[in-house]
Structures are given as structure tokens and as C-alpha cells.
Amino acid sequence: MAFAITIQLILMNDKRLIWTHRDIEQRLGFRGLQYTRVNGWLSGLVAVALTLCTYGVLFASGSNWLSDMFLKRGNTPYVMVLFTYWSLVILAIKSSKLRLQRSALGLSVVPEEMGFVLTVHTVDQVMKRLYEVADDPKRFVVLNRILIAISNLRNLGRVTDVGEILRSRAEHDESVFETSYSTIRNLVWAIPILGFIGTVEGLSSAIGGFGRVLTETQDPAALIDALKGVTGGLATAFETTFVALVAALIVQMLMSILKRREEEFLNDCEEYCHQNVVNKLRLNLMEVA
């Protein structure tokens, strides 16, 4: 008997959403932020580590076109690579946190029986179920919406307010998800700017060198060699911008894909709340009428 109870408890814990164990930031020892917001310290440190590893490999590989592109183009490529990795790490962490949030949609919080009506008298049953399926319902978008709505119903007893509260929380959650992209938007803006800065530096260096040759010698052969250096410097300068634009394009495309997934998730949350909360309240209103 004791063995059967132990097995049942283990199965319940496996199905329970324990945010402190499943949130990627919490597992790595950092403070997990709300919903899909990303801890800047974690993402920044991972980006720094990836940048150091990348440049370590480039240094070890010796002189070739790839290593020269990142090692011999001034200081801007270093920052550019760091910002690119930082953006990608933020997207990866957000994707992991979104999967955790979406897992809450598979939970059954409100009884699915046809005759169940969500009222002041049955709200405690739903409240208890919320804490049975998750250790901290406030950490999950859909569970937090239900928690706030039924708490209001229990405290005030007005079923007509529940729908409005759910709509208000939906708008608030959309704002939270939208502002979670502020850091990555700044990084995507900065990456091509760094590329342009590298291009300007390359142009200045190449043209400045040609100008010095003009003032120091009138030898046609020396002028031809200097002009070759200018054209080579131009290729090098625009190479930096090309790499930056490609990196920004990749990050922007991945960000758009993830943002669309988050929008779909928020729509699914609204549908979940409508089916499991609002529809139950409508049954109650019909009975009252």
C-alpha cells in the first residue's frame, strides 16, 4: 500500500509543472524572469563565452580568409560577433521558456464535466487544482490569468467582472511579451551600425595611406602600389559591412519566427480561458436568468 502511494506521488510530481526545476534560468542558477523575459546576465555571459571560444578557434586555425575576416579588420568585428551571439542566446532562452509556458495549456484546471458551473461556491475547487498542477501558477501565463480571474470572483462574487479581467490580463500579457524584445531589438540595430563603423575605419585607413604616399613620392610605380592598397582596403572595409548585414538579417528572421510563435501562444491562451472559464460562467448566468 505504501509502495502504491509512493508511485502515485512520483507520477503526480512528474506531471506537475514545477517552475523552479523546469525554467532554464533557474536550473542554471540565475533568477528566472517573468514568462519569456530573459535574464541579461545569463545571456550576456553565455554570449561572452561563445565569443571567446569562436576567437580561440580562429586564432588556432592560423591565417586564412575566414580568420582574417574577423581578426584583421579592426576592433569592430569583436563587438559585432559578441552582439550576434548575445541576440541568438536570447532567442534560444526565450524559445525554451515559451515551450515551458505552452506546456501549461495541456493541463486540466477547471473540471470538464458538462454540469460544472464556475461560481463563488466552486471557485475553491479550481483554486486548489491550480496549485496541484503547478508549484507557482503566477509564473505561467494562462494559469496566472485564471488565478486572478477566479480570485476576483471569490472575493467580490461578481461573475460579470471575470470576462473583463481576462481581457485586461490578455492586454497586459501582450505588453509584457512585446517589451521582452527590447534588448534584442537594440542589438539588431547595433550590429549593422558596427559594420558601417568598421567600413568607415577601413576607408579612412586606406585613403589616408594613399594620401601619405602622394605627399612623400612622385614615383609612378609607388603610386600604383599605393592605389592597389586603397582598392584592397575598400574590399576589406565593405567586407565588414557585409558580415554585419548578414548577421543582422539572420537574427531578425529568427526573431520574427519566434515572435509569431509567441503571438500564436497568446491566442491559444485566450481560447483556453474562453473554453475553461468564460463558458462555465455563461452557464451560471443562464441559470441565474
Side-chain angles (χ1 to χ4, degrees):
M1 183 65 179
F3 177 76
I5 294 175
T6 302
I7 295 297
Q8 184 178 5
L9 290 174
I10 293 175
L11 293 175
M12 289 178 61
N13 288 330
D14 288 340
K15 295 179 180 179
R16 194 171 184 233
L17 282 180
I18 303 178
W19 181 81
T20 53
H21 293 170
R22 299 186 59 178
D23 181 79
I24 185 172
E25 295 172 336
Q26 291 288 124
R27 294 203 307 267
L28 294 175
F30 290 81
R31 183 172 67 90
L33 300 186
Q34 185 182 24
Y35 303 153
T36 61
R37 288 181 178 273
V38 176
N39 189 304
W41 285 105
L42 172 60
S43 57
L45 289 174
V46 175
V48 169
L50 290 173
T51 301
L52 292 176
C53 291
T54 299
Y55 275 97
V57 172
L58 291 175
F59 275 115
S61 64
S63 180
N64 54 69
W65 68 271
L66 182 61
S67 61
D68 291 346
M69 185 184 301
F70 291 96
L71 297 176
K72 298 181 180 180
R73 302 296 184 261
N75 296 323
T76 54
Y78 294 90
V79 184
M80 196 167 60
V81 171
L82 173 63
F83 282 7
T84 301
Y85 274 132
W86 198 355
S87 302
L88 295 176
V89 170
I90 290 175
L91 291 174
I93 295 176
K94 281 179 67 67
S95 180
S96 173
K97 292 169 77 73
L98 179 61
R99 286 195 299 270
L100 177 58
Q101 291 292 327
R102 181 168 282 279
S103 63
L105 294 175
L107 301 175
S108 177
V109 178
V110 180
E112 300 178 356
E113 291 83 357
M114 291 295 296
F116 179 81
V117 178
L118 185 57
T119 66
V120 178
H121 305 290
T122 59
V123 71
D124 287 335
Q125 181 179 347
V126 179
M127 186 79 71
K128 179 181 177 182
R129 177 60 180 166
L130 277 172
Y131 285 94
E132 287 178 351
V133 300
D135 64 328
D136 190 355
K138 294 180 180 179
R139 294 291 186 175
F140 300 91
V141 176
V142 68
L143 300 184
N144 187 46
R145 290 186 188 182
I146 297 175
L147 179 63
I148 293 175
I150 64 176
S151 296
N152 179 81
L153 176 60
R154 182 176 63 178
N155 295 333
L156 301 180
R158 293 197 297 265
V159 295
T160 54
D161 292 342
V162 174
E164 182 61 32
I165 290 174
L166 289 174
R167 285 189 292 271
S168 176
R169 290 304 306 179
E171 295 176 358
H172 176 268
D173 292 339
E174 288 179 7
S175 176
V176 170
F177 275 71
E178 184 65 25
T179 55
S180 68
Y181 284 93
S182 59
T183 299
I184 193 171
R185 284 197 181 98
N186 292 331
L187 293 173
V188 171
W189 171 84
I191 291 171
I193 297 299
L194 289 169
F196 291 134
I197 292 174
T199 296
V200 172
E201 289 180 347
L203 290 173
S204 299
S205 176
I207 295 174
F210 182 68
R212 285 192 298 272
V213 173
L214 286 177
T215 58
E216 293 174 359
T217 182
Q218 298 295 325
D219 184 7
L223 293 176
I224 292 174
D225 291 339
L227 186 59
K228 291 180 180 179
V230 171
T231 56
L234 292 176
T236 298
F238 286 110
E239 191 177 77
T240 305
T241 298
F242 172 75
V243 173
L245 291 176
V246 170
L249 177 62
I250 293 173
V251 174
Q252 181 65 46
M253 291 179 63
L254 293 176
M255 183 175 68
S256 299
I257 293 173
L258 182 59
K259 189 174 181 181
R260 186 177 68 251
R261 288 174 54 198
E262 288 190 348
E263 291 172 351
E264 293 172 352
F265 165 70
L266 291 175
N267 291 335
D268 292 340
C269 287
E270 289 189 37
E271 182 65 22
Y272 184 95
C273 291
H274 182 79
Q275 292 181 355
N276 292 275
V277 178
V278 177
N279 282 352
K280 304 296 182 180
L281 289 171
R282 284 177 178 173
L283 289 174
N284 185 37
L285 290 173
M286 290 173 60
E287 286 192 355
V288 172

